[in-house]
Amino acid sequence: MSQSEPGEDPRRAHHDLGGVTKFLCETVDTAPHALTRFDRRVDALRQILGAAGIMRVDELRRGIEAIPVAEYHRLAYYQRWVRSIADNLLRKGVVSAEELRAALAAGREAGR
Amino acid sequence: MTSRPDPALLATPAEELFAALLAVLAAKGMVSEAELAARIQSTDAASPAQGARMVARAWVDPGYRALMLADGTQAAEALGIPMLGAPPLGVLENRPGRHHLVVCTLCSCYPRAVLGYPPFWFKSAAYRARAARDPAGLIAEWGTVLPPGTEIVVVDSTADYRWMVLPQRPPDTAGWDEAALASLVREGDMIGVTVPGSMPEPMPERGGKPG
Amino acid sequence: MTRLAPGTRVRVRDDWPEARGEAHIRTPHYVRGREGVVVRHLGDFPNPEDLAFVRPAATLPLYHVQFDPSAIWPPPRSAGAVLIEIFGPWLEAR
């Protein structure tokens, strides 16, 4: 019965973190963390896609929530965003898997 | 919507995946380096200094305070803070006996237009989990202890609004001008994890402050 | 749907779409099935549960609803109240 302990309700989605028991004893890292160039660029791309009507913030959130729980907690904040942006653009056909694979291969070639 | 993307493709290391996405989008003419740079510049321009200006104005101008509590977006615009395209801004006022703490338990909704990028702690699982349930224990991590009997109202930012806190003016600031008052207000004060003057901070010499 | 007035006692639907399949929900798990009080109508916004899946989205009333944490959480607990934005269809007047 959920009325007893909502912090342990098994029906909860993993991103829905309010009051979740297993995090209650975790300390908060209150130190400042500077954003990296990568962080800023991902944030900027999200804004550009939103302003152009290509992907809404609601879609970004859906894609983040679709990340399997272990990876959701392992990935850094903007790494989740990249995963979600890729998920959404592929689903919508804005970018095809072939195009993305080719660009990945080209990037690996250039980085060699 | 088409079919579900290949999970293995999505599991590509994010930095690599991002570079490839950008390359494809650039080839299609959908995004350019110049656009990215412009967005980064405008996003970097929003910072807690903007929210602090609003707080300081509200402390000295009762009419502005009333506007800020009624319509945060208009109040921000009145100080020249760009709000076009930003979600509506709501402002909650701390009073003796009533303190507010903002959290987004579902993701990381943050009043970016007036405070800038959300800080690391705001996005952490521990903050999101603990705020809704034990805010007093949570803000103690910042050394914040509220007067006994203070009720903490947790504001879970779940939908289309973004929320900021109007903190109480520190008692020993009579006669200070707006710029001096604004310099007292930190990011955490406007989310509710700290209160102005709660932590001793070296104060740089500046004009307008008596002393 | 008639607008809920400030002060109206409401109950959040005890519904768990995320347990039935793909869903995007903006009503936190911890207030499902709980009672609260409408503080004010914040405005009307398109339903994020549809926007997230690129479906046509109805415009819905959004309310600020206040809850008593002692009716939600066992200790440790120190919140005096929790204020949450909740869309109209999640709320039933009591």
Side-chain angles (χ1 to χ4, degrees), chain A residues 23-110:
Chain A
F23 294 107
L24 294 184
C25 294
E26 215 171 87
T27 56
V28 175
D29 179 358
T30 61
H33 288 239
L35 293 184
T36 64
R37 176 172 183 270
F38 168 77
D39 296 339
R40 284 191 160 79
R41 285 166 65 80
V42 175
D43 198 288
L45 176 63
R46 207 290 305 161
Q47 293 182 50
I48 290 166
L49 294 174
I54 296 168
M55 186 192 77
R56 298 188 60 105
V57 72
D58 310 87
E59 297 165 60
L60 177 80
R61 291 180 185 140
R62 182 214 56 78
I64 291 170
E65 293 162 11
I67 299 170
V69 61
E71 285 175 277
Y72 179 91
H73 289 295
R74 181 179 59 78
L75 293 173
Y77 184 72
Y78 284 108
Q79 291 178 335
R80 291 180 204 155
W81 282 35
V82 171
R83 171 99 52 123
S84 172
I85 293 169
D87 179 2
N88 278 294
L89 297 186
L90 288 165
R91 276 181 186 236
K92 299 179 98 168
V94 175
V95 166
S96 74
E98 293 68 35
E99 289 169 325
L100 196 54
R101 287 201 177 93
L104 281 167
R108 282 171 191 150
E109 193 61 38

Side-chain angles (χ1 to χ4, degrees), chain C residues 13-72:
Chain C
R13 279 180 23 232
D14 194 5
D15 189 19
W16 299 80
E18 63 271 68
R20 298 193 294 269
E22 260 200 331
H24 173 71
I25 309 297
R26 300 304 295 180
T27 302
H29 71 96
Y30 63 88
V31 291
R32 311 273 175 91
R34 309 286 166 158
E35 287 195 15
V37 177
V38 171
V39 175
R40 67 180 176 125
H41 172 243
L42 291 165
D44 300 305
F45 298 91
N47 188 357
E49 298 180 13
D50 289 319
L51 291 178
F53 291 92
V54 205
R55 298 186 294 245
T59 298
L60 303 174
L62 182 67
Y63 298 97
H64 231 182
V65 182
Q66 183 163 322
F67 297 86
D68 174 2
S70 68
I72 301 174

Side-chain angles (χ1 to χ4, degrees), chain B:
Chain B
M1 225 185 256
T2 56
S3 62
R4 233 170 259 205
D6 174 7
L9 184 54
L10 294 180
T12 307
E15 285 73 5
E16 236 182 288
L17 189 58
F18 180 63
L21 270 177
L22 269 189
V24 176
L25 292 170
K28 291 173 185 282
M30 297 173 84
V31 62
S32 67
E33 282 299 323
E35 282 175 284
L36 282 173
R39 280 283 167 184
I40 290 171
Q41 193 179 17
S42 61
T43 311
D44 283 354
S47 80
Q50 306 280 48
R53 282 168 58 215
M54 296 173 67
V55 169
R57 175 66 60 88
W59 284 346
V60 300
D61 178 346
Y64 184 81
R65 172 183 159 273
L67 171 66
M68 189 165 159
L69 297 177
D71 188 333
T73 302
Q74 270 195 43
E77 284 174 337
L79 296 191
I81 300 167
M83 297 298 284
L84 191 67
L89 176 68
V91 181
L92 296 152
E93 184 183 38
N94 287 347
R95 298 192 297 267
R98 192 171 167 91
H99 181 87
H100 294 86
L101 178 73
V102 179
V103 63
C104 173
T105 64
L106 298 172
C107 47
S108 55
C109 299
Y110 192 74
R112 292 174 50 139
V114 291
L115 297 189
Y117 294 100
F120 182 83
W121 49 262
F122 188 84
K123 304 179 286 192
S124 69
Y127 183 87
R128 289 163 56 193
R130 292 172 60 189
R133 185 160 173 172
D134 184 18
L138 177 65
I139 67 178
E141 298 229 11
W142 277 263
T144 305
V145 181
L146 301 170
T150 303
E151 179 188 57
I152 305 179
V153 180
V154 177
V155 185
D156 193 350
S157 191
T158 51
D160 291 77
Y161 266 67
R162 298 294 177 269
W163 301 97
M164 76 174 268
V165 175
L166 171 55
Q168 294 185 76
R169 180 172 174 166
D172 48 359
T173 56
W176 289 32
D177 72 14
E178 258 182 79
L181 289 169
S183 74
L184 285 180
V185 182
R186 295 157 302 171
E187 179 179 62
D189 303 337
M190 296 176 279
I191 292 300
V193 295
T194 52
V195 295
S198 67
M199 281 200 287
E201 246 186 337
M203 298 291 291
E205 291 276 313
R206 54 180 301 155
K209 193 179 297 175

